[in-house]
Amino acid sequence: MNRVQQIGDVAEIMLDYVENKKTHQTDKVLRVPTGSYTDPDQWRAEMELVFKRAPLMLAFTSELPNPGDYKAMEAVGVPVLINRAKDGTVRAFLNVCSHRGAPVANDGHGNCPRFTCKYHGWTFGQDGKLIGISEASTFGEVNKAERGLRELPCEERAGMIFVCLTPNAPLDLDRHFRGFLDDFEALDFANWTYMGSRVIEGANWKIAFDGYLEGYHFASLHPTTINPRTPSNCAHYEGFGPNIRIGFPQRRIADVLKDIPREEWGNQENNGYDFVRIFFPNVSCFVAPEITQVAQLFPGPTPDKNRTVLNYLRREPIRDEEDRANVEAAMNFFRDVTYTEDYVIGLEIQRGLESGAHDDLVFGKNERGNQYFHEWLNWYLEDDISAPEPVM
């Protein structure tokens, strides 16, 4: 079955949900210990067994469109440098000089032919090789071939740049995404324009991420922002390995689809239904006609905190200053809604869980996305590749 047919079938399912007041359900509830959100030992295990092994989406093609472009950032405490070389190749390195450990690029974006450590001026090429030692005649003998930047596994696919934070670790995007990136190829995501980002902070990363995985809370938590467009407790889930495509029907889905041939229903995203696309372990992407929000959730620096980068993209580049002002206003609006309506209650949940009031949380049969995420998280934490993988 091709992608359009598959999405058309999902649209038909969501139409039935709205017309008959139903939602996707599994056959059980799932209990998750509250310690999953508070225990420092589990948090450390998540960093080592999940965030330093799974492919992380750290940048967009549109952030580094030109040769020499780079992005320097921190991901779960790891300093990362991503750059595009003259031949268009994208590479990732640990942003750590091989002399005394200082960064070779400041956090943020830029363009340069080489990277120079601000501490002692050692210089590295776009390929990470050490090409210059300040006052080399007084320093002593150094084998430059052995003192390059430490490279990280990196691959650019479907308009995004994926990195593994462990040097020499395997990076198999086909196995991890199981065809899910075809959605972004079909959207022509590589040719979109990066608008900018906003940063918010919240509770334990899983408390925050749980909120992206269900629509059961729309009526109570988003009565004037999301609920008028999208009915509460009405969603469809598809699994692609550990990743999830969540379908949210719009209230007007029946009125929209009745005038469209059935074979075209798979081409109507944002017209009768929407999708939230989840990249395990920490990315949520909502493609909207006006502007797309891609949230990257980074745990830490302690178990009770997360730092979320809200990235914004759209198909068309900025037209003029008025357009830029409107885009900035839209980014601020989405940031404020995400923080005030989702992250504030997450902080309250964190306090509640740390109080010891309950031994566990319960995810209902209608919260299959949350269940699936926690099942996959536990699979990674078991650190046993022979164990059966969760299935949707």
Side-chain angles (χ1 to χ4, degrees), residues 175 375-376 378-390:
R175 174 174 173 75
E375 289 166 1
W376 268 99
N378 291 337
W379 184 87
Y380 270 85
L381 294 176
E382 288 174 3
D383 196 23
D384 178 7
I385 60 173
S386 67
E389 296 178 346

Side-chain angles (χ1 to χ4, degrees), residues 99 120-123 130-137 139-144 147:
H99 171 217
H120 293 94
W122 283 32
T123 305
L130 176 61
I131 57 178
I133 298 174
S134 298
E135 302 183 55
S137 62
F139 189 86
E141 185 175 346
V142 173
N143 185 339
K144 291 182 180 178
R147 304 303 300 181

Side-chain angles (χ1 to χ4, degrees), residues 19-158:
E19 291 184 328
N20 295 291
K21 300 187 185 307
K22 299 190 301 185
T23 189
H24 188 131
Q25 288 193 287
T26 187
D27 60 355
K28 65 183 186 304
V29 298
L30 176 71
R31 297 182 182 276
V32 174
T34 55
S36 175
Y37 301 88
T38 61
D39 180 54
D41 289 336
Q42 172 157 342
W43 183 80
R44 284 188 286 269
E46 290 165 355
M47 298 308 99
E48 295 301 320
L49 298 176
V50 180
F51 279 87
K52 292 187 180 178
R53 294 193 184 183
L56 301 181
M57 196 286 291
L58 294 188
F60 302 92
T61 295
S62 54
E63 286 184 272
L64 290 80
N66 304 308
D69 285 348
Y70 70 85
K71 177 182 182 180
M73 62 180 296
E74 180 184 296
V76 294
V78 178
V80 178
L81 172 62
I82 305 168
N83 83 294
R84 189 178 300 280
K86 289 181 180 180
D87 64 359
T89 302
V90 170
R91 294 184 177 89
F93 306 94
L94 292 172
N95 186 15
V96 180
C97 180
S98 58
H99 171 217
R100 297 269 291 279
V104 301
N106 294 326
D107 282 358
H109 299 81
N111 182 285
C112 63
R114 63 187 62 85
F115 299 99
T116 302
C117 175
K118 61 184 177 183
Y119 195 10
H120 293 94
W122 283 32
T123 305
F124 301 84
Q126 293 175 340
D127 57 3
K129 293 180 180 178
L130 176 61
I131 57 178
I133 298 174
S134 298
E135 302 183 55
S137 62
T138 66
F139 189 86
E141 185 175 346
V142 173
N143 185 339
K144 291 182 180 178
E146 297 177 352
R147 304 303 300 181
L149 298 176
R150 193 73 181 274
E151 191 161 2
L152 296 171
C154 174
E155 185 173 344
E156 184 174 24
R157 186 85 69 85

Side-chain angles (χ1 to χ4, degrees), residues 139-314:
F139 189 86
E141 185 175 346
V142 173
N143 185 339
K144 291 182 180 178
E146 297 177 352
R147 304 303 300 181
L149 298 176
R150 193 73 181 274
E151 191 161 2
L152 296 171
C154 174
E155 185 173 344
E156 184 174 24
R157 186 85 69 85
M160 294 167 285
I161 298 166
F162 298 90
V163 178
C164 178
L165 297 180
T166 299
N168 302 315
L171 183 67
D172 188 343
L173 297 186
D174 290 328
R175 174 174 173 75
H176 184 77
F177 286 104
R178 318 285 175 91
F180 196 23
L181 295 181
D182 291 350
D183 266 11
F184 293 86
E185 296 283 9
L187 292 168
D188 194 30
F189 208 53
N191 291 310
W192 288 30
T193 300
Y194 185 73
M195 297 285 128
S197 67
R198 300 290 187 268
V199 176
I200 57 177
E201 296 179 349
N204 176 276
W205 72 280
K206 297 189 298 296
I207 289 176
F209 208 49
D210 278 335
Y212 291 95
L213 297 171
E214 46 88 3
Y216 184 34
H217 67 279
F218 287 174
S220 54
L221 199 62
H222 305 295
T224 62
T225 50
I226 297 177
N227 195 54
R229 173 189 178 97
T230 307
S232 194
N233 196 28
C234 189
H236 186 72
Y237 296 98
E238 302 167 89
F240 300 80
N243 312 284
I244 310 171
R245 184 167 61 200
I246 311 173
F248 289 109
Q250 298 171 10
R251 294 185 181 278
R252 63 191 188 101
I253 186 172
D255 292 335
V256 170
L257 296 185
K258 67 181 176 63
D259 296 324
I260 297 173
R262 173 61 180 80
E263 62 271 17
E264 293 296 320
W265 285 10
N267 290 318
Q268 301 305 312
E269 182 171 357
N270 301 136
N271 186 35
Y273 59 86
D274 304 292
F275 287 115
V276 170
R277 294 170 171 88
I278 301 295
F279 289 174
F280 183 91
N282 71 323
V283 170
S284 172
C285 174
F286 174 53
V287 176
E290 306 85 3
I291 196 167
T292 287
Q293 176 175 286
V294 182
Q296 298 166 296
L297 285 79
F298 295 107
T302 54
D304 60 333
K305 293 180 173 62
N306 89 84
R307 176 178 179 270
T308 298
V309 181
L310 302 172
N311 301 276
Y312 296 95
L313 303 93
R314 74 177 191 187

